[in-house]
Structures are given as C-alpha cells and as structure tokens.
Amino acid sequence: MDSQTEKTEQPIFTCKAHVFHIDPKTKRSWMSASSAAVSVSFFYDSSRNLYRIISVEGTKAVINSTITANMTFTKTSQKFGQWSDVRANTVYGLGFASEAELGKFIEKFQEVKEAIQAQQCAATKATNGSGAATPVASATASPLLAARAAADEPPALSPAQPKVENDEMMVHQRAHSVSSSLQGGYATVGRSPRPPATATSATDVDDTQLRYENDRLKLALAQSSANAKKWEVELATLKSNNLRLTAALQESTANVDEWKRQLHQYREEVARARHYATGKGGDANEVEQLRQRVAQLEAELAQKNEELAQITKSKKSEQDAEAKLAQSQLELALAAQDGQRQVLTALNDQLARQIEELSNVHREISTALQT
C-alpha cells in the first residue's frame, strides 16, 4: 500500500472492546472473535466517502464493516451492543468495560450515520440540481468531522492512478494498533443473542469463584462419602471379630468348666482310695495296689492342675488382649465415624452457603438483565 492510499483513510475514533460474531449456524448465540479487549476504530476514506469500523487482532481482522445509512446499533445491556452488517453477512457484538465507553461508541456511530445521510442528501441534490456539492463537503456534514475531512482531502486522481487496494490489505497494515489486555471467554444461548459479560465484570469473577468452590466441595464430599463407606466396612469387620472372640471366650469358659469337673472327679476318687486304704485295711497286695493307684491319681491330679492353670492363664491373657484390641479398634472406628460425620456436616453447611450465594448472584444478574 502506498503513502497516498494510507492518507485517504484515517481513524477518527478508537476505543477498546471485546469483539463477538453471531454463530452462523444457530443465529442465537455469540462466538468470541477476539481473545481479549482489542482496539475498535472508526475510519473515514475521504477518496471514496466511506466510513468503516475496523478491528485487528494480530494479523486477523475481527471487524471490517462498512457503515451504511440503514445500519442501526442496538444497546442490549449496560455494557453490550450489536449491529447487523448485510454485506459481511454477520452480526457484530461489542462488550465494553463500562457503560460510559459504550455510550461514547453509540454517539460516534450515530454521528457517522448522520454524516452518511448528509452525503446521500448532498449527492441527490447534486444529481438533480447544480451539482455544486462536492463529495468531500458532503462527507463532512457532521461538525465534529469537518476539520478532519478537510485535512484528509486528497488530490484528484488521474485516470492512470491505481484504485485503493483491497480492504483486507489495508486492515492488515493497521495490525500494529492492536494491543492485548483483559482475558475472557463468552458463550450464551437463548431465544435471541444475549450480550456476554466483559472480562472486567466482578459478577463474572464471583460466579467463577463460586463454581470453583462448589466443585471443590463436591469433590471433598465425594471423598468423605468414600471414606465413610470404608469406615463402615471396617466397623462391620470389627463387630464380626468381636462376635468371633466372644464365641471363642465362651468356648474356653466351657472347656475350663469341663476341666474343673474332671478335676473334682479325680479328687473324689483319690479321697475314696485313701479312705479305703487306711480305714478298711485288707491284704498287702491290695493295699499296695491302692497306694499305687492313689499315687497315680495324685500325679494325674497334679498334672491336670498344672495344665488347667496354664490353660486358664493363657486363655485369660489371650482373651484379655483380643478383647482390648477389639475394644480399641471399635472405639477408633466410632471416633473416626463421628469425626467423618462432623466433616460431612461442615461441608454440607458450606455447600449450602455457597449455593445460597450463587443463587443471590443469579438473581442479581437476572434483575440487571431485566432492567
């Protein structure tokens, strides 16, 4: 592009906004055309008496719209507006950081429309009348644009002079005017396109934070539920072990009672043998046999007493240890379950508060959209 072409089209107004295009498939939702707030400029081509809105991000033209007298810019919310471009076969949307910036853009859009209408009126008069009105004079019908249009008036083009280059090439030459700032992403679906919130919206930040907290609480609740189930299984296992130990203890008690009964029988038999040997007398052989029997019974009695003492001591120690272990495990499981229940209660209360805050934010957003 030569210097002459660059002079014929100059920016007359520049602002910062997030750019959106209507979804060509659904015509009901917005698609983000810029990754951040970019420069959006009104350009006036004095050689062709054209006004255009141009915005470039990197080397990509996100807006290249020639303004016509029939275009209408519609404010759909406090910080969002849109217009339809039939030539580009799309609807452009702009999200601003404040309502004041949107108001400035609307004022400039209306001013440019008035200038275009004045151009058309002057051209009609020139065709039907004396033709005194020149393209430059009609293009600068708006008082605010008059000085800039006069300064931008180019010399007359000769027949051999090349025409202004393609619009896209001129747009790419202005890629240096683009700057990246606030990050954001948008998507809305409904009966008609609705404006997305800008990246600087505090409500959007709060909503994102609440969604993050909600997801974190859901994850913690799921983990707590899994831990609670695990503790329930362990508690059931401990109860089963406790029942098994109780049954073993009862069996050991029955065995001890049986040993005591047999011991009592041995003692009675020994007592009878002694009484028979010392009281009734008898021949030597019989007495000797009785003494041997008494000695044998006494030895067996002593052995049984020793075994009974060992069994009783071992069983008692084992039962005491197992009972203490089962009791401690049961207490630990109950304490853990109680703690888990407290954690779940706290998480549930926190989740309820978060949901209530999110509901309040939703109501505020709905109220703001309705007003």
Side-chain angles (χ1 to χ4, degrees):
M1 182 184 301
D2 56 22
S3 59
Q4 182 63 38
T5 302
E6 292 179 355
K7 290 181 180 179
T8 62
E9 189 172 28
Q10 299 294 332
I12 58 176
F13 178 79
T14 300
C15 62
K16 289 277 189 177
H18 289 257
V19 181
F20 298 86
H21 295 166
I22 198 69
D23 189 342
K25 296 180 179 179
T26 64
K27 300 294 184 181
R28 293 186 177 182
S29 60
W30 290 109
M31 298 172 58
S32 180
S34 64
S35 60
V38 296
S39 295
V40 180
S41 301
F42 285 84
F43 280 85
Y44 170 62
D45 187 348
S46 58
S47 65
R48 294 184 294 171
N49 293 328
L50 292 179
Y51 290 89
R52 293 196 300 162
I53 301 176
I54 297 175
S55 178
V56 178
E57 183 176 35
T59 59
K60 175 187 176 183
V62 294
I63 300 178
N64 185 10
S65 176
T66 301
I67 305 175
T68 65
N70 296 327
M71 283 187 179
T72 301
F73 187 89
T74 304
K75 178 181 178 181
T76 56
S77 72
Q78 292 182 349
K79 301 179 183 180
F80 192 88
Q82 65 186 50
W83 79 96
S84 176
D85 189 335
V86 178
R87 296 181 180 178
N89 193 26
T90 188
V91 178
Y92 293 103
L94 295 179
F96 294 87
S98 66
E99 187 175 4
E101 294 182 8
L102 174 59
K104 293 179 181 178
F105 187 90
I106 295 175
E107 181 180 352
K108 181 58 62 176
F109 194 96
Q110 186 62 30
E111 182 179 315
V112 169
K113 276 190 58 177
E114 292 175 358
I116 295 173
Q117 292 171 355
Q119 287 179 6
Q120 294 178 349
C121 181
T124 302
K125 290 180 180 179
T127 302
N128 298 330
S130 62
T134 64
V136 173
S138 62
T140 57
S142 174
L144 191 145
L145 299 175
R148 184 177 298 277
D152 291 341
E153 181 177 356
L157 298 176
S158 63
Q161 186 172 2
K163 195 176 180 180
V164 178
E165 296 178 17
N166 186 276
D167 289 345
E168 290 296 330
M169 295 178 63
M170 290 188 293
V171 171
H172 292 310
Q173 291 294 328
R174 297 183 178 86
H176 61 84
S177 65
V178 180
S179 62
S180 299
S181 58
L182 304 172
Q183 298 292 327
Y186 314 87
T188 57
V189 179
R191 183 180 298 275
S192 60
R194 303 183 69 179
T198 61
T200 56
S201 174
T203 303
D204 186 38
V205 175
D206 293 340
D207 190 36
T208 303
Q209 182 66 21
L210 285 174
R211 284 199 300 268
Y212 169 76
E213 292 292 338
N214 192 23
D215 293 339
R216 187 176 65 83
L217 289 175
K218 286 181 178 179
L219 179 60
L221 184 60
Q223 293 176 348
S224 299
S225 299
N227 291 335
K229 291 181 179 178
K230 181 182 69 174
W231 282 113
E232 289 177 358
V233 172
E234 293 186 2
L235 181 61
T237 302
L238 289 175
K239 289 181 178 179
S240 177
N241 292 337
N242 190 32
L243 293 175
R244 183 177 57 82
L245 291 174
T246 302
L249 181 61
Q250 292 175 352
E251 183 180 356
S252 298
T253 302
N255 292 334
V256 170
D257 293 338
E258 178 63 22
W259 282 107
K260 289 181 178 179
R261 186 184 63 79
Q262 293 181 4
L263 180 60
H264 183 68
Q265 290 179 354
Y266 287 146
R267 286 177 178 174
E268 288 183 349
E269 188 176 352
V270 170
R272 287 196 300 270
R274 285 178 177 176
H275 177 71
Y276 181 79
T278 57
K280 294 184 178 182
D283 56 16
N285 291 333
E286 187 176 359
V287 171
E288 184 62 27
Q289 290 178 356
L290 289 174
R291 286 178 179 177
Q292 291 178 359
R293 178 59 178 168
V294 169
Q296 181 181 0
L297 290 174
E298 287 179 348
E300 291 180 359
L301 180 59
Q303 182 179 1
K304 293 294 183 181
N305 285 332
E306 184 178 357
E307 291 178 359
L308 179 60
Q310 292 179 354
I311 291 174
T312 302
K313 183 178 179 181
S314 176
K315 288 293 183 181
K316 184 176 181 181
S317 300
E318 181 180 356
Q319 292 168 0
D320 291 342
E322 291 180 350
K324 290 180 179 179
L325 177 60
Q327 184 66 27
S328 62
Q329 290 177 341
L330 182 60
E331 292 176 355
L332 178 61
L334 292 175
Q337 188 179 21
D338 185 63
Q340 197 71 24
R341 186 180 295 107
Q342 293 177 359
V343 170
L344 289 174
T345 302
L347 287 174
N348 186 51
D349 294 340
Q350 188 176 3
L351 181 59
R353 290 194 300 270
Q354 295 291 345
I355 292 174
E356 184 178 359
E357 293 177 2
L358 187 59
S359 299
N360 293 335
V361 172
H362 177 69
R363 285 195 297 271
E364 292 176 2
I365 293 175
S366 300
T367 303
L369 291 175
Q370 292 174 0
T371 57

